[in-house]
Amino acid sequence: HSSIIIETLPDSSGLLATIQLHPATLIRHVDVQINASIFPERFMQPLFADEIARRMTLRPGASLAPDESTRKDQLLVEASRIREYLLYDGFYEADVRISERAIGPYEAELSVRVTPGPPYFIGEIEVVGNNRIETKEITDQFRHARVCVVWKLCIGTRRFSRQLMLKDIQTLVEKHQKLGFPGVYIDKDFSKKHSFNRRDKTVNFTVEIHERRRINVSFEGNSPAFPEKKLNAQLTLAKSASYDDVEVQASAEAIRDYYQSKGHFEVQV
């Protein structure tokens, strides 16, 4: 790394810039080890070292801070970042320790020791505002099997994952849109401070569904060559989650473009 010292010349005729170069300590290798037994913990709730390594900023080729105090803080921040990832992947009690070892002049190896702790699972889900989809169907959307050996033969339950939870919410949005609610909005009160239950090792949250207005779309004048299923796919209402006049006109233009792409240039929608 380098530093720049700027001084004013004695006769005030200008500035003198001095560039000082300092050798940087580079990371040559990162060793990630997970302290958990292969069976049943690692088999039923897998956690892979490369998943953790991919999320690190201190990778081979990166440099460590020059002074000991700053370098210690640098490693603590990196450990905190990994813990945050593990927390949102169902390991709320994970412990992460990072240490360094010199392997040559200005070269170091990082040792990352991860103790994931017990996995947390989906607990109580309160559903509010649902009128078209049953509560059980909504809560079941958030619960997933862990290991599927053969078709429909699955073992165990998948631990909580915030990424998977967000995908499930998007799936529920799409289900409502197919039922005619293009402007549906689904909120949740999940938070890392309040949703994790240490006693039961569960994650609890509320799902609030705002269906908004139901829109019925019907088509008139379309031939069998342009079935409703094909025309529905052209609508932009669900994509924009809106059904105002502007979006209705955009859907009409999308259908017109679809007809013209099939050679019907004088179509009116």
Side-chain angles (χ1 to χ4, degrees), residues 50-66:
D50 60 342
E51 292 178 348
I52 296 173
R54 283 200 306 267
R55 288 165 174 82
M56 294 181 63
T57 59
L58 297 179
R59 303 176 180 180
S63 61
L64 293 172

Side-chain angles (χ1 to χ4, degrees), residues 12-72:
S12 300
S13 60
L15 299 176
L16 174 64
T18 303
I19 300 177
Q20 296 181 335
L21 300 179
H22 308 276
T25 299
L26 297 180
I27 300 171
R28 293 304 184 191
H29 179 67
V30 177
D31 178 41
V32 179
Q33 292 191 12
I34 300 174
N35 300 323
S37 59
I38 295 179
F39 189 87
E41 287 86 353
R42 294 286 296 278
F43 176 74
M44 299 300 296
Q45 302 298 328
L47 177 64
F48 301 102
D50 60 342
E51 292 178 348
I52 296 173
R54 283 200 306 267
R55 288 165 174 82
M56 294 181 63
T57 59
L58 297 179
R59 303 176 180 180
S63 61
L64 293 172
D67 60 280
E68 183 177 348
S69 176
T70 306
R71 185 175 300 184
K72 182 179 179 180

Side-chain angles (χ1 to χ4, degrees), residues 187-204:
D187 195 12
K188 81 286 183 192
D189 68 349
F190 167 80
S191 72
K192 66 180 181 180
K193 290 185 178 181
H194 306 293
S195 296
F196 291 88
N197 187 323
R198 278 182 170 269
R199 183 183 60 189
D200 300 331
K201 312 303 181 188
T202 58
V203 183
N204 310 303

Side-chain angles (χ1 to χ4, degrees), residues 208-222:
E208 186 171 0
I209 299 176
H210 305 270
E211 293 178 347
R212 301 172 73 184
R213 184 179 299 177
R214 186 177 186 183
I215 304 298
N216 293 315
V217 180
S218 61
F219 300 94
E220 297 178 358
N222 55 305

Side-chain angles (χ1 to χ4, degrees), residues 89-110:
D89 197 38
F91 293 109
Y92 182 73
E93 301 176 26
D95 180 68
V96 181
R97 306 292 176 92
I98 302 179
S99 59
E100 63 159 317
R101 182 177 69 89
I103 57 175
Y106 304 107
E107 293 181 319
E109 176 185 61
L110 294 187

Side-chain angles (χ1 to χ4, degrees), residues 126-130 185-189 206-210:
E126 181 181 1
V127 181
V128 179
N130 58 311
Y185 172 70
I186 299 180
D187 195 12
K188 81 286 183 192
D189 68 349
T206 298
V207 175
E208 186 171 0
I209 299 176
H210 305 270

